[in-house]
């Protein structure tokens, strides 16, 4: 069975640091939790710049505090589903449960 590619999630550094202390990451997207949305939004490497621009805009203020979590889907217990998002129907990876910090194989500075 081929290895699934890593999936990416952009977030604020403080949210990642808090997750490291708890042992799990549970933020779905900017300002929304896993409990509120039901899944955690992820993207592919190709999708990441557009997702970052959508969530954080072109304003560079505060973007020094953004990081990209690189997650190995094989290390997740929760299901990963690629689902179409409106308006264009592009498929994005969603994780339907918390992300254990040991599933994060790299943390990259954004910007």
């Amino acid at each position: 069975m081929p290895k699934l590619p890593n999936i990416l999630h952009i977030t604020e550094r403080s949210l990642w640091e808090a997750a490291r202390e708890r042992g799990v990451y549970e933020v779905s997207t900017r300002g929304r939790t896993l409990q509120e949305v039901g899944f955690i939004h992820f993207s592919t490497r190709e999708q990441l710049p557009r997702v970052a621009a959508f969530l954080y805009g072109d304003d560079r203020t505060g973007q020094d505090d953004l990081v990209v979590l690189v997650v190995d889907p094989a290390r997740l217990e929760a299901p990963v589903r690629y689902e179409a998002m409106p308006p264009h129907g592009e498929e994005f990876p969603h994780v339907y449960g918390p992300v254990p910090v040991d599933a994060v194989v790299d943390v990259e500075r954004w910007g």
Side-chain angles (χ1 to χ4, degrees):
M1 182 171 180
K3 181 181 178 339
L4 295 173
N6 290 338
I7 54 178
L8 309 174
H9 179 84
I10 190 164
T11 191
E12 291 100 39
R13 183 178 308 277
S14 62
L15 295 173
W16 168 239
E17 293 299 328
R20 288 179 59 203
E21 290 179 19
R22 286 191 315 277
V24 293
Y25 182 83
E26 298 181 298
V27 178
S28 177
T29 191
R30 187 177 188 185
R32 306 285 305 273
T33 66
L34 167 63
Q35 291 73 23
E36 292 171 312
V37 177
F39 58 86
I40 299 175
H41 289 271
F42 278 83
S43 63
T44 64
R45 178 75 59 188
E46 180 183 273
Q47 294 167 330
L48 186 63
R50 286 176 292 151
V51 169
F54 176 75
L55 292 175
Y56 296 97
D58 293 328
D59 179 13
R60 303 304 296 174
T61 307
Q63 289 197 16
D64 287 342
D65 291 328
L66 296 178
V67 295
V68 177
L69 307 182
V70 181
V71 172
D72 180 350
R75 295 185 180 197
L76 296 171
E77 293 181 19
V80 178
R81 298 185 188 124
Y82 282 74
E83 297 174 310
M85 298 297 293
H88 304 294
E90 183 176 7
E91 291 188 351
F92 287 84
H94 296 149
V95 175
Y96 280 82
V99 174
V101 296
D102 64 358
V104 178
V105 296
D106 197 10
V107 178
E108 302 170 355
R109 184 176 168 273
W110 178 255

